[in-house]
Amino acid sequence: MIQSSELILNPDGSVYHLNLKPEHIAHDIIFVGDQNRVEKITQFFDSIEFSTQKREFKTQTGYFKGKKMTVMSTGIGPDNIDIVMNELDALVNIDLETRKPKENLTSLNIIRIGTSGSLQADIPCDSFVMSRYGLGLDNMLRSYLIDDISEKAMEDAFISQTNWDMRKGRPYVIACSETLEKRMESDQIFKGFTGTAGGFYGPQGRVLRLEIQDPELNAKMDSFEFEGIKMTNLEMETGAIYGLGKLLGHECLSLNAIIANRATGNFSEDPYKAVDALIAYALNKLAE
């Protein structure tokens, strides 16, 4: 039995941070970072049957073209993904009354819809990137046993080509769900190798008043290549989603609207339009 200090429930029996019970979620789940973006997606639903929010975690479940879907905000960063993925898994794979894992496990479909900056000049603003791989530059996932799911050769190549300082921890690389990749791909989508940073400023090479450990890291990531695969974009959640998804047995895919191009210095003239276009694309693909 899982102790109450390990799996914390609210007085009404819902999981602690997400404030959800098993009946509140669908099999197909869309992640967004910003809680205000949840309703930008569910406004297209035929109906909404459940809605709740606790802290930055907002959830709405309803129907789009007759298909039941859940949209959930995760907040920013790998630490929040640790909370969201573990509590979502608990909802479907742990009996919350007996506090025991179920014998028959459920695999959720989880698609992240986010915004990101491109690292390559040929991936322009307002385009869409599907993350074939997530490269984690944070250390969160290293708290788990990930050797069986990580792409070690790609990790070694990144460490070598960027002269990565191992005092920051060993980067990890996790592949996306092949099932969802096939389901969501089209000629509208760039397929990419997505970096997941543990912060927004220094960890992504931004300098305000503080010097950073490696001022050349962005340039090194721009030029990184492994068997023809280049880094396409940098954000703060994908690697953690892919890692925990694979460990827990869920299908995960990350889609990003490119609103900035770090290589050219350009920013989208209408980032909201780009995000809305990606939302429409993802919803219709899921509903097929």
Side-chain angles (χ1 to χ4, degrees), residues 27-28 107-111 130-132 175-185 191 242 246 249-253 285-286:
H27 183 262
D28 290 332
S107 177
L108 298 169
N109 290 326
I110 297 170
I111 293 180
M130 172 189 291
S131 305
R132 288 188 64 199
C176 73
S177 159
E178 292 183 10
T179 301
L180 287 181
E181 178 186 358
K182 289 182 173 64
R183 184 173 171 183
M184 302 298 289
E185 66 186 357
K191 291 189 179 182
Y242 284 8
K246 270 206 165 40
H250 304 297
E251 304 290 335
C252 298
L253 187 71
K285 281 285 188 180
L286 278 174

Side-chain angles (χ1 to χ4, degrees), residues 259-278:
I259 62 170
N261 188 297
R262 300 285 294 273
T264 63
N266 293 331
F267 191 82
S268 172
E269 293 183 5
D270 191 347
Y272 299 107
K273 183 179 179 181
V275 172
D276 286 347
L278 180 56

Side-chain angles (χ1 to χ4, degrees), residues 222-235:
D222 291 350
S223 59
F224 170 72
E225 185 171 339
F226 179 82
E227 296 181 352
I229 303 170
K230 292 184 176 182
M231 280 195 69
T232 48
N233 60 314
L234 190 60
E235 45 82 90

Side-chain angles (χ1 to χ4, degrees), residues 8-16 18-24 50 52 54 96-97:
I8 304 169
L9 302 179
N10 295 309
D12 66 355
S14 61
V15 290
Y16 182 66
L18 302 184
N19 212 33
L20 296 171
K21 295 180 180 180
E23 61 267 26
H24 294 154
F50 175 80
T52 191
K54 184 177 181 182
L96 299 185
E97 293 187 4

Side-chain angles (χ1 to χ4, degrees), residues 121-216:
D122 61 351
I123 299 180
C125 291
D126 305 325
S127 60
F128 304 155
V129 168
M130 172 189 291
S131 305
R132 288 188 64 199
Y133 296 93
L135 164 73
L137 304 176
D138 63 290
N139 289 314
M140 185 278 291
L141 202 65
R142 290 287 175 193
S143 295
Y144 299 94
L145 303 175
I146 66 170
D147 287 350
D148 289 342
I149 64 164
S150 62
E151 307 286 337
K152 296 182 186 63
M154 203 175 290
E155 294 168 2
D156 289 340
F158 180 83
I159 290 166
S160 174
Q161 290 182 38
T162 63
N163 192 27
W164 181 260
D165 189 335
M166 294 300 286
R167 290 176 298 176
K168 295 192 289 187
R170 180 182 171 88
Y172 59 87
V173 178
I174 314 289
C176 73
S177 159
E178 292 183 10
T179 301
L180 287 181
E181 178 186 358
K182 289 182 173 64
R183 184 173 171 183
M184 302 298 289
E185 66 186 357
S186 78
D187 56 9
Q188 292 181 253
I189 298 278
F190 289 89
K191 291 189 179 182
F193 181 75
T194 297
T196 295
F200 184 76
Y201 289 96
Q204 293 191 37
R206 291 182 173 91
V207 177
L208 302 184
R209 290 203 312 116
L210 298 176
E211 292 184 20
I212 58 177
Q213 180 270 329
D214 186 355
E216 303 301 319

